[in-house]
Amino acid sequence: QVQLVESGGGLVQPGGSLTLSCAASDNMWSINIMNWYRQAPGKAREFLAAATRSGDTKYADAVKGRFTISRDNAKNTVTLQMINLTSEDTAVYYCKAEKLVGTVVYDYWGQGTQVTVSS
């Protein structure tokens, strides 16, 4: 079982920046992939970014160039740096851990942190 706790959400003005953090209860070295997702009101949860144990990253086209995922295996944390935020970025942001146990991949989700972009 992996427990994830997101933090860093809040209210930010359009054009502003915010950095989200996700702390994992498990040794990050045992987690294959860490991800960030978000869900806006009335919309499906969407993938934003992923970071593998070895440091490879992947981004959704919608946030490429504006969001940066960083993973610190020693501190068991993953962060999401966000710049040039717009109202379209308003959502609840979640981190997800993908952990391979034997031949099965288990997904673990945090409780989410609200990001509101508004003037």
Side-chain angles (χ1 to χ4, degrees):
Q1 190 81 349
V2 179
Q3 294 181 329
L4 302 170
V5 178
E6 300 97 336
S7 61
L11 175 65
V12 60
Q13 292 188 339
S17 303
L18 205 60
T19 297
L20 307 180
S21 294
C22 174
S25 63
D26 202 357
N27 187 332
M28 192 74 81
W29 287 109
S30 71
I31 299 173
N32 299 74
I33 303 174
M34 291 297 299
N35 305 266
W36 282 98
Y37 283 74
R38 69 184 177 190
Q39 187 166 19
K43 294 187 178 181
R45 192 170 295 189
E46 66 170 329
F47 166 80
L48 298 175
T52 68
R53 189 165 44 200
S54 60
D56 294 329
T57 58
K58 178 181 178 181
Y59 295 91
D61 289 341
V63 302
K64 199 174 295 183
R66 294 193 304 124
F67 290 10
T68 303
I69 187 170
S70 298
R71 175 171 172 162
D72 189 331
N73 293 326
K75 296 182 178 179
N76 295 336
T77 59
V78 61
T79 60
L80 186 70
Q81 294 177 291
M82 306 183 292
I83 65 171
N84 297 331
L85 291 165
T86 74
S87 58
E88 297 296 309
D89 297 312
T90 294
V92 178
Y93 285 68
Y94 300 89
C95 66
K96 183 182 84 168
E98 296 179 36
K99 182 174 180 178
L100 178 64
V101 180
T103 59
V104 179
V105 176
Y106 292 89
D107 290 345
Y108 301 94
W109 291 88
Q111 82 290 347
T113 185
Q114 176 71 46
V115 172
T116 302
V117 184
S118 175
S119 56

